[in-house]
């Protein structure tokens, strides 16, 4: 299955909930009027896009319709796809350009945080990077054990201490290990405890001070893992964590099992946080880098195989360009 096809399949439930409902609604209109916008806004809210974001989308759509002189309701889907891509675009790429880069991963229990770290480590290693994991969620023995399983599966080094240890000391040891190995990336798990925000803030601040002292010039990412199935509650979680830590991006997991993927738009629009990765399945390669255009395309895609094939060709060609540093002509047989 190609990359676009994987994303498209992972968004199937969300697509049926949002674009399926919108397409059905549009067939009942013969012209574009205010009642169409009102129904559209309601459907977007029901699709977990959130009220502020749904209103914003409809306002942008009104402007596009007026500016471009659109009169056919069937053209609304194409305009929506463009608007969604525009809203989500920017900041998606992982910032790990320095020789040793640091990634802190936070999130409440049960969202797929440790699994995300394991999949991310596997992806980075497959790209030729040396990765070291730090088990800095020391409040749960299960979290340490689970991360060790993923480290072994990915074939990367793991730094751990006994349950109850100071998380910041684990981060310090992970930095030392990464330096000794000449590693490219270190990824640290951290505990997420929204019920006690002061401890969370104190812990993250301490970790932040160690990173600044030991790796003053390195690229750093603080990624918040959210479960897409929680819908608008994911927005609330992101807001709380944003207040407690300098989050640089979002990883949205379990998109394949929910119809609430519209929450991506709410997180981006209401909090200004870019989505870096999305989880669209349980396999190790189902953690996909987020791409605004591909997400919008998959969200509003009709069940047409040629569309998916064309998108897969575009992505494949882009990967060849990135890998070899020059643009390669499409080879139909190799695709």
């Amino acid at each position: 299955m190609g990359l676009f096809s994987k994303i498209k399949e992972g968004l199937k439930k969300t697509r049926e909930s949002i674009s399926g409902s919108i397409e059905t609604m549009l067939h009942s209109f013969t012209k574009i009027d205010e009642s169409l916008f009102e129904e559209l806004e309601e459907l977007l809210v029901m699709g977990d896009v959130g009220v502020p974001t749904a209103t914003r989308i409809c306002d942008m759509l009104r402007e596009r319709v007026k500016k471009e002189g659109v009169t056919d309701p069937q053209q609304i889907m194409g305009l929506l796809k463009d608007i969604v891509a525009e809203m989500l675009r920017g900041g998606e790429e992982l910032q790990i350009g320095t020789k040793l880069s640091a990634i802190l991963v936070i999130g409440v229990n049960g969202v797929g945080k440790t699994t995300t770290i394991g999949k991310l480590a596997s992806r980075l290693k497959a790209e030729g990077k040396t990765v070291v994991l730090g088990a800095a969620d020391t409040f749960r023995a299960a979290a340490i054990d689970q991360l060790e399983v993923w480290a072994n599966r990915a074939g990367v080094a793991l730094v751990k201490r006994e349950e109850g240890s100071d998380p910041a000391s684990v981060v310090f040891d992970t930095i030392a290990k990464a330096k000794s190995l000449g590693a490219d990336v270190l990824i640290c798990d951290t505990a997420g405890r929204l019920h006690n925000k002061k401890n969370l803030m104190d812990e993250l601040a301490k970790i932040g001070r160690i990173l600044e002292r030991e790796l003053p010039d390195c690229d750093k990412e603080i990624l918040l893992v959210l479960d897409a199935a929680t819908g608008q509650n994911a927005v609330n979680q992101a807001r709380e964590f944003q207040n407690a830590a300098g989050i640089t991006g979002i990883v949205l997991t379990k998109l394949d099992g929910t119809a609430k993927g519209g929450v991506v738009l709410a997180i981006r629009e209401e909090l200004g946080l870019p989505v870096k990765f999305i989880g669209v399945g349980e396999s190790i390669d189902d953690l996909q880098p987020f791409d605004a255009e591909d997400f919008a395309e998959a969200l509003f895609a009709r069940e047409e195989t040629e569309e998916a094939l064309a998108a897969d060709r575009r992505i494949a060609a882009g990967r060849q360009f990135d890998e070899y540093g020059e643009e390669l002509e499409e080879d139909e047989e190799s695709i």
Side-chain angles (χ1 to χ4, degrees), residues 29-42:
F29 283 87
T30 58
K31 63 178 182 177
I32 300 176
D33 56 18
E34 192 56 33
S35 59
L36 183 151
F37 290 115
E38 290 174 359
E39 286 199 38
L40 174 60
E41 185 170 342
E42 184 176 339

Side-chain angles (χ1 to χ4, degrees), residues 104-113 137 139-140 188-205 207 221-227 230 232-252 267 271-273:
L104 295 182
V105 182
I106 61 179
V108 299
N109 296 335
V111 296
K113 182 161 54 83
D137 182 354
F139 290 87
R140 292 190 308 122
C188 287
D189 193 7
T190 61
R193 303 178 310 284
L194 280 179
H195 63 276
N196 191 333
K197 288 185 289 184
K198 185 180 185 304
N199 283 355
L200 174 64
M201 285 189 285
D202 290 346
E203 176 184 310
L204 291 175
I207 290 173
E221 290 271 15
I222 301 178
L223 302 181
L224 172 63
V225 181
L226 297 169
D227 181 347
T230 60
Q232 286 299 301
N233 188 49
V235 182
N236 296 331
Q237 280 185 28
R239 186 175 287 108
E240 292 291 339
F241 274 108
Q242 191 178 36
N243 292 333
I247 299 169
T248 58
I250 299 293
V251 179
L252 200 62
I267 291 170
L271 303 178
L273 293 172

Side-chain angles (χ1 to χ4, degrees), residues 66-79:
K66 183 177 180 180
K67 181 179 179 180
E68 299 178 20
V70 177
T71 58
D72 183 1
Q74 299 311 308
Q75 292 182 259
I76 292 293
M77 294 294 279
L79 294 176

